[in-house]
């Protein structure tokens, strides 16, 4: 019985790619820490738990919605034909139920955070699900996914501060959101290289289809260059020091390696560039942000 339970949990976790939570969650937690920096980055167990629940529910809803609306394309694409809905391992009704329950979970968590988060939660749900249909009508689908991911740090910040955010904090939030958008645009273009021929044949849109792989890679590189500049600006706006600078250099190194892999290696290496390196990017950002907030820019508690 326990084996069946864990097997089921694993199946549903793979269905919504729970492991990919490492992309958005670290940015959300970093934003939470900066918003609560007066208390060394800790907003309290209740707020932390609700932020975590909202993040998991929001991402689960968005990914389930993506799998539902893309199931026919997934069945035709050799790379994705083994996913759960095309293979019949998960029923469509079950996937829809999960999507609805996860969306309701996001709204419920937002309700217990503060009124602002609650009022904005339906907007967030629409935004994070809307990306999944954009590939049908716009080549800029990567930007919509970036905007969806950028809601994570903004939402976490507002979860801590509510309507009491200052103008400086609004600027910091805006810069961090732009960082996430550009980061996502860059690595999602690289990821889309795998489906270039399929997307063209099916009439699906992406910048890779519109510009061709070579030019799209140049666009991805430009997005990451701009991201690095804004990431440094975010640290300056927050008054961060040496730990953040070291982390920034590590992030720049990871992104450069990602682009080297995208240009020099085969598509079989794409998961290395997409998952592992970007997981390092988000994890390093969280680690150095926490170090700066907790230790106030030095290496001792004050």
């Amino acid at each position: 019985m326990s084996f069946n339970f864990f097997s089921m949990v694993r199946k549903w976790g793979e269905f919504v790619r729970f492991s990919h939570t490492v992309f958005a969650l670290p940015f959300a937690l970093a934003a939470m820490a900066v918003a609560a920096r007066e208390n060394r980055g800790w907003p309290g167990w209740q707020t932390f738990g609700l932020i975590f629940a909202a993040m998991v529910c929001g991402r689960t809803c968005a990914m389930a919605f993506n799998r539902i609306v893309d199931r026919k394309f997934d069945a035709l694409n050799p790379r994705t034909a083994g996913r759960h809905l095309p293979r019949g391992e998960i029923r469509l009704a079950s996937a829809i139920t999960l999507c609805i329950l996860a969306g309701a979970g996001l709204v419920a968590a937002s309700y217990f955070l503060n009124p602002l988060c609650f009022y904005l939660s339906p907007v967030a749900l629409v935004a994070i699900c809307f990306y999944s249909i954009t590939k049908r009508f716009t080549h800029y689908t990567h930007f919509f996914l970036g905007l969806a991911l950028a809601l994570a740090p903004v939402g976490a910040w507002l979860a801590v501060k509510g309507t009491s955010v200052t103008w400086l904090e609004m600027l910091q939030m805006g810069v961090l959101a732009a960082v996430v958008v550009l980061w996502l645009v860059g690595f999602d273009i690289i990821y889309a290289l795998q489906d270039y021929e399929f997307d063209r044949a099916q009439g699906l849109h992406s910048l890779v289809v519109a510009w061709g792989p070579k030019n799209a890679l140049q666009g991805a590189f430009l997005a990451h260059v701009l991201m690095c500049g804004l990431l440094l600006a975010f640290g300056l706006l927050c008054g961060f020091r040496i730990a953040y600078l070291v982390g920034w250099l590590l992030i720049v190194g990871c992104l450069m390696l990602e682009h080297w892999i995208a240009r020099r290696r085969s598509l079989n290496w794409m998961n290395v560039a997409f998952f592992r390196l970007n997981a390092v990017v988000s994890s390093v950002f969280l680690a150095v942000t926490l170090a700066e907030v907790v230790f106030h820019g030095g290496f001792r508690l004050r």
Side-chain angles (χ1 to χ4, degrees):
M1 181 176 178
S2 61
F3 175 78
N4 291 334
F5 172 77
F6 287 114
S7 178
M8 182 181 66
V9 170
R10 179 180 178 182
K11 180 178 70 173
W12 282 101
E14 291 174 347
F15 174 67
V16 297
R17 290 291 184 91
F18 187 78
S19 59
H20 286 192
T21 305
V22 296
F23 294 150
L25 185 59
F27 281 94
L29 295 180
M32 177 199 75
V34 176
R37 65 190 306 175
E38 293 180 357
N39 194 37
R40 295 202 182 96
W42 183 244
W45 281 108
Q46 179 176 336
T47 300
F48 170 78
L50 289 170
I51 290 173
F52 187 84
M55 277 291 306
V56 172
C57 287
R59 195 194 169 282
T60 299
C61 176
M63 185 56 72
F65 184 81
N66 177 268
R67 294 293 187 255
I68 291 166
V69 299
D70 278 357
R71 65 190 185 279
K72 293 181 180 179
F73 291 117
D74 287 344
L76 296 173
N77 189 341
R79 186 180 67 83
T80 58
R83 288 177 176 171
H84 298 80
L85 283 177
R87 289 175 59 185
E89 292 184 10
I90 288 178
R91 293 184 302 166
L92 178 60
S94 299
I96 293 173
T97 301
L98 175 66
C99 183
I100 294 172
L101 289 176
L106 170 62
V107 174
S110 301
Y111 175 81
F112 289 105
L113 280 166
N114 58 59
L116 179 61
C117 289
F118 176 62
Y119 296 143
L120 292 177
S121 60
V123 179
L125 279 175
V126 172
I128 62 179
C129 292
F130 182 66
Y131 149 73
S132 295
I133 63 173
T134 57
K135 65 181 71 175
R136 292 159 174 79
F137 61 85
T138 177
H139 292 304
Y140 294 93
T141 178
H142 319 281
F143 286 93
F144 287 96
L145 180 57
L147 288 171
L149 203 71
L151 292 178
V154 172
W157 204 307
L158 294 178
V160 175
K161 300 302 290 282
T163 57
S164 64
V165 290
T166 65
W167 285 105
L168 176 59
E169 287 179 313
M170 291 178 66
L171 178 59
Q172 292 167 338
M173 273 193 294
V175 171
L176 183 57
V179 165
V180 174
V181 170
L182 291 168
W183 175 53
L184 190 285
V185 167
F187 78 67
D188 195 52
I189 288 175
I190 294 174
Y191 188 70
L193 291 172
Q194 300 175 97
D195 294 327
Y196 172 58
E197 296 295 343
F198 177 81
D199 288 348
R200 286 184 63 192
Q202 296 296 322
L204 296 174
H205 299 272
S206 73
L207 289 180
V208 179
V209 172
W211 297 348
K214 184 176 180 180
N215 290 333
L217 275 175
Q218 294 295 333
F221 182 77
L222 177 60
H224 280 161
V225 169
L226 293 174
M227 172 219 165
C228 290
L230 288 176
L231 193 63
L232 184 60
F234 176 75
L236 294 174
L237 286 171
C238 293
F240 293 160
R241 301 180 184 178
I242 186 64
Y244 188 85
L245 181 59
V246 171
W248 180 81
L249 291 172
L250 289 173
I251 289 171
V252 171
C254 286
L255 294 176
M256 294 304 101
L257 178 57
E258 181 176 342
H259 284 273
W260 181 85
I261 291 174
R263 286 166 171 77
R264 304 289 183 179
R265 310 295 292 192
S266 68
L267 290 179
N268 294 331
W269 281 70
M270 200 58 67
N271 281 334
V272 175
F274 174 75
F275 184 79
R276 296 179 186 175
L277 287 174
N278 286 297
V280 171
V281 167
S282 58
S283 299
V284 167
F285 176 75
L286 173 60
V288 297
T289 300
L290 287 177
E292 291 285 356
V293 170
V294 173
F295 297 101
H296 297 284
F299 287 97
R300 58 190 177 86
L301 290 171
R302 295 179 181 176

